[in-house]
Amino acid sequence: MNTKIEGRAAHVAAIRERAEAEMKAMGVDEAFIDRLVETFYGRVLKHPTLGPVFDAKLAGRWPEHMAKMKSFWSAVAFRSGAYGGKPVQAHTGVSDLTAELFPQWLALFSDTLDDIAPNADAKAWFMATAERIAKSLTLSLFYNPALDDPQRKPA
């Protein structure tokens, strides 16, 4: 049993080491994560469509949200396991949140990366990750499998 635990710990450590090396090769460090989150959410607040939705949910709690997003992106990039939030639950019931907002979120994220990513590889990695996150949240929050039922008759 102890050997299994030690083997798992070594496996997790190897994953983290590879992620750290990959990020370092792309010029990504904690300072970049901080800058990405600060820049992106600063732009979100100014965005005519996204800003009101985010601010309605986070008014008075922006510092906590920023810290949580820095922790999230750091954990994702460096595979640290440090983030323990529940993104689907956090987004459930957000007033005026629609599936149509996710492409706008991704476009703004892409524009932010265009301006601050250290290189094309870093932009590609963060965009691919953001696209997976957006797809996962969209499916979790808005997908209705009954609509794909072949037995369903159109209204």
Side-chain angles (χ1 to χ4, degrees), residues 17 53 65 107:
E17 286 174 20
V53 174
H65 182 70

PDB file of all heavy atoms in Angstrom, residues 17 53 65 107:
ATOM      1  N   GLU A  17       6.388  18.887 -12.426  1.00  0.00           N
ATOM      2  CA  GLU A  17       7.695  19.280 -12.957  1.00  0.00           C
ATOM      3  C   GLU A  17       7.618  19.532 -14.459  1.00  0.00           C
ATOM      4  O   GLU A  17       8.190  20.506 -14.958  1.00  0.00           O
ATOM      5  CB  GLU A  17       8.740  18.203 -12.650  1.00  0.00           C
ATOM      6  CG  GLU A  17       9.170  18.177 -11.201  1.00  0.00           C
ATOM      7  CD  GLU A  17      10.100  17.014 -10.889  1.00  0.00           C
ATOM      8  OE1 GLU A  17      10.709  16.448 -11.835  1.00  0.00           O
ATOM      9  OE2 GLU A  17      10.207  16.671  -9.705  1.00  0.00           O
ATOM     10  N   VAL A  53     -22.738  41.815 -16.188  1.00  0.00           N
ATOM     11  CA  VAL A  53     -23.027  40.469 -15.679  1.00  0.00           C
ATOM     12  C   VAL A  53     -22.049  40.114 -14.563  1.00  0.00           C
ATOM     13  O   VAL A  53     -22.441  39.644 -13.493  1.00  0.00           O
ATOM     14  CB  VAL A  53     -22.972  39.419 -16.820  1.00  0.00           C
ATOM     15  CG1 VAL A  53     -23.126  38.006 -16.273  1.00  0.00           C
ATOM     16  CG2 VAL A  53     -24.046  39.714 -17.864  1.00  0.00           C
ATOM     17  N   HIS A  65     -12.421  37.527  -5.784  1.00  0.00           N
ATOM     18  CA  HIS A  65     -12.521  36.869  -7.091  1.00  0.00           C
ATOM     19  C   HIS A  65     -11.170  36.895  -7.811  1.00  0.00           C
ATOM     20  O   HIS A  65     -10.762  35.880  -8.395  1.00  0.00           O
ATOM     21  CB  HIS A  65     -13.591  37.540  -7.954  1.00  0.00           C
ATOM     22  CG  HIS A  65     -13.764  36.879  -9.284  1.00  0.00           C
ATOM     23  ND1 HIS A  65     -14.318  35.623  -9.429  1.00  0.00           N
ATOM     24  CD2 HIS A  65     -13.438  37.284 -10.541  1.00  0.00           C
ATOM     25  CE1 HIS A  65     -14.332  35.289 -10.702  1.00  0.00           C
ATOM     26  NE2 HIS A  65     -13.804  36.286 -11.404  1.00  0.00           N
ATOM     27  N   ALA A 107     -13.173  35.996 -26.848  1.00  0.00           N
ATOM     28  CA  ALA A 107     -12.586  37.030 -27.712  1.00  0.00           C
ATOM     29  C   ALA A 107     -11.805  38.048 -26.879  1.00  0.00           C
ATOM     30  O   ALA A 107     -10.696  38.453 -27.256  1.00  0.00           O
ATOM     31  CB  ALA A 107     -13.680  37.727 -28.525  1.00  0.00           C
TER      32      ALA A 107
END
